[in-house]
Amino acid sequence: MTNPLVMLLLLLVFSFVLAAVLSCYREDDKSDILRGIVRRAMLFAVSVIGFAAVAYFTSGVVLFPA
């Protein structure tokens, strides 16, 4: 299994790259782009972490209770 720290680092890198592409596509002003990158990157990363937490909870409690 991959180290969780490496997975978190890759998630952050992917989030910022995705946010940069989306912000550059949607905004024209440089300050709007920079604000949009941070906001969209954090929103995407928190969403992915939320989905992972729900999946972990579901697999541990509902699907395979000990």
Side-chain angles (χ1 to χ4, degrees), residues 57-66:
F57 174 76
T58 303
S59 69
V61 175
V62 177
L63 298 176
F64 298 110

Side-chain angles (χ1 to χ4, degrees), residues 17-62:
V17 170
L18 182 66
V21 169
L22 186 61
S23 292
C24 290
Y25 178 73
R26 297 198 36 119
E27 307 292 341
D28 291 330
D29 189 27
K30 185 177 180 178
S31 64
D32 290 339
I33 290 172
L34 294 176
R35 276 187 278 126
I37 287 173
V38 174
R39 182 176 48 86
R40 286 183 175 103
M42 291 301 115
L43 181 64
F44 180 74
V46 168
S47 299
V48 170
I49 290 170
F51 284 136
V54 168
Y56 182 76
F57 174 76
T58 303
S59 69
V61 175
V62 177

